[in-house]
């Protein structure tokens, strides 16, 4: 069983028996103010985006910063090099997408991905259970490309991230354009998702989480 909370932008905490994983610890520049967190593993998708705050994490933790295969605390993480724009220009910035295997679940976290996946890249993620994907546009995936990736990978659940909420990322779109393109209604947001592999059906489920955060003080 894994517990998933969202702290806004690209930041999720995945807590399981093996370990606690924190993705892209969110910085105040996004409008969110995350409290101090404990984590065993921290994944960084895009170090140069200006939205990462490692100072929010207390105690010892191990950091994954790029492509490769990693095993830490019985958690398996595969990082794949991608780019922030459709043209895949290094000058626009690199991004790492991650496959996190924890508690019998395969969780894909796509960070600031800006383009579709090659066949080789898609093959790594073709058995993903839960896909965390940007839904607010704003210089990375547009809504249509995000939905194309969902269709290509056919995850059992999709959790949108990096979209405008009442707290932060107000320069982005809200999630409605993404969900319309996906052809589903926006469900009531959850405070957290507690999930086992057996809870996920073959029919894709859209899960929206409320950010567990406060507005950042300006």
């Amino acid at each position: 069983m894994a517990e998933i909370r969202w702290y806004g932008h690209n930041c999720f905490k995945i807590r399981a028996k093996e370990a606690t994983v924190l993705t892209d610890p969110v910085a105040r520049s996004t409008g969110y103010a995350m409290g101090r967190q404990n984590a065993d593993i921290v994944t960084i998708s895009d170090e140069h985006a200006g939205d990462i705050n490692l100072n929010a994490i207390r105690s010892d933790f191990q950091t994954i910063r790029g492509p490769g295969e990693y095993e830490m605390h019985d958690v398996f993480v595969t990082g794949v090099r991608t780019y922030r724009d459709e043209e895949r220009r290094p000058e626009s910035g690199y991004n790492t997408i991650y496959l996190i295997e924890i508690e019998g679940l395969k969780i894909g976290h796509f960070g600031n991905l800006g383009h579709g996946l090659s066949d080789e890249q898609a093959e790594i993620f073709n058995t993903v259970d839960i896909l965390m994907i940007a839904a607010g546009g704003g210089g990375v995936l547009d809504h249509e490309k995000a939905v194309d990736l969902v269709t290509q990978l056919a995850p059992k659940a999709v959790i949108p991230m990096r979209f405008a909420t009442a707290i932060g990322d107000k320069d982005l779109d809200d999630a409605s354009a993404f969900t319309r393109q996906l052809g589903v209604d926006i469900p009531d947001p959850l405070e957290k998702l507690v999930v086992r592999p057996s809870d996920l059906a073959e029919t894709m489920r859209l899960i929206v989480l409320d950010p567990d955060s406060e507005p950042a003080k300006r």
Side-chain angles (χ1 to χ4, degrees), residues 24-82:
D24 292 344
V26 65
R28 292 176 181 268
S29 59
T30 62
Y32 298 100
M34 180 179 67
R36 295 272 285 172
Q37 302 295 325
N38 292 318
D40 300 298
I41 301 167
V42 176
T43 63
I44 305 297
S45 301
D46 180 359
E47 288 199 76
H48 303 290
D51 51 22
I52 300 298
N53 180 20
L54 287 172
N55 292 326
I57 309 165
R58 62 168 72 94
S59 74
D60 294 332
F61 58 90
Q62 294 176 280
T63 307
I64 298 175
R65 299 178 179 272
E69 296 182 351
Y70 307 86
E71 181 181 355
M72 301 173 177
H73 303 281
D74 293 325
V75 176
F76 296 90
V77 180
T78 302
V80 177
R81 167 62 51 81
T82 57

Side-chain angles (χ1 to χ4, degrees), residues 6 39 51-52 74 99 111 115 119 160 169 171 177 188-189 211 217:
W6 182 47
D51 51 22
I52 300 298
D74 293 325
L99 182 67
H115 56 82
D119 290 343
D169 276 335
D171 55 337
D188 291 334
K217 294 180 180 179

Side-chain angles (χ1 to χ4, degrees), residues 179 183-187 206:
T179 58
V184 298
D185 295 328
I186 299 178
L206 176 67

Side-chain angles (χ1 to χ4, degrees), residues 188-193 205 207-211:
D188 291 334
L190 302 176
E191 175 186 346
K192 62 182 178 181
L193 175 66
R205 176 185 175 193
I207 300 165
V208 176
L209 298 178
D210 265 332

